[in-house]
Amino acid sequence: MTMMNRRQFFYSGAAGAAMLTRATRGFTAAENYDLIIKGGRVIDPSRKLDAIRDVAIAGTRIARVEADITATATETIDARGQLVVPGLIDIHTHAARTAEGPGLCLADGVTGWIDAGSQGADHIGDTVAVAKSAPQRGRVLINIGRAGILPEGDTMDIARADVSAAKDAIAKNRDFIVGVKARLSRDVAGANDFEVLNRAKEVATGFGLPVMIHMGQTVSELPKLIRLLKRGDVVTHMFAPPPNSIIDDRGKILPAVLAARRRGVWFDVGNGQNGHLRWDIVERIMQAGFWPDTFSTDWNVNSPTTGVIDFPNCMSKFLGFGMSVDQVVARATVNASRTFDVFRDRGTLKVGAPADVAVLELREGTFEFLDNYQNKRTGRRRLFPSATVLGGKRIPRT
Ligand SMILES: [Zn+2]
């Protein structure tokens, strides 16, 4: 252990007494770690690290990230030829719709997720219960529509955007509701979009929480909606095709969108299945240099059979639009950790951090990637989930 690493460790913000005890034991006793991930290409954008390293884990924390750690370990993962990255954080999923959701996406490397508005005030207890019992850290956004996602449109009836019901639900579940979701497209909110967003903001502001908007194909012009967003709010489905996409017909990002990013609004992918992603729009927005802050899948239990497949697949799509592997990893790890406070200590492999790790395989070949319109693009590289470590424990393969 070098002095630099030792210093980094002892001054790491999360260091409590228990951690220090564990660390001291790690340094002085004959070194034996609980788990060592050996020989992988460690990509940790939080520290600008991209190199072959071993990752040693003691208990639930990252203990060392160094070349050739010779200490013994109770368990070893041979990661040679694979990528070792911080556990993936997916900020737009519907993982809390069913009890099995969290375990399924955990196998894809997702060690933190947000359920983005599956339920509103009437049934928020259902999603909160799934989050509470999830193996990994999961939190929910409350849908401003009190009945949650409805086939006829969550807030087509504006009475469903019930401010006091949402406030009551948050007050009762402060630890698990981390924001408010406003789904604003024409088939969800109709002409109510602006009022729905105002109500979502009213609810969120009272608790100091962010709002996530689902944009694209809205009745209102996008700038009118986006001007309501403040620092820390999230725009998901940023690659939604017109009407009301973030780019105009001549390939210019709308000034209101640029202004929103400047004031600290996050722009998120939200891959999804219908209406949210079309390759020609992705191409133009990426070419305009307006890259996503975060990736997310809009994951559901049926995702393996849709164009989503899994989070590593959604990440891989952007390798074909000029992004490097570490830029892709950043958006699924350190960037995502900044969007919701609950993930502040995640998305990193720094010494002392929770030992959440995704081992991914970067395969070369010919791979087809789907948008939401059955258009295919071919890529030469694709990431596959290989192993997940959560809180220092390797997740058994399912
Ligand atoms: Zn969604």
Side-chain angles (χ1 to χ4, degrees), residues 92-94 116 149 181 183 214 237 276 298:
H92 180 172
T93 76
H94 297 279
I149 295 175
K181 179 81 182 287
R183 299 174 73 236
H214 153 149
H237 306 318
H276 305 316
D298 201 359

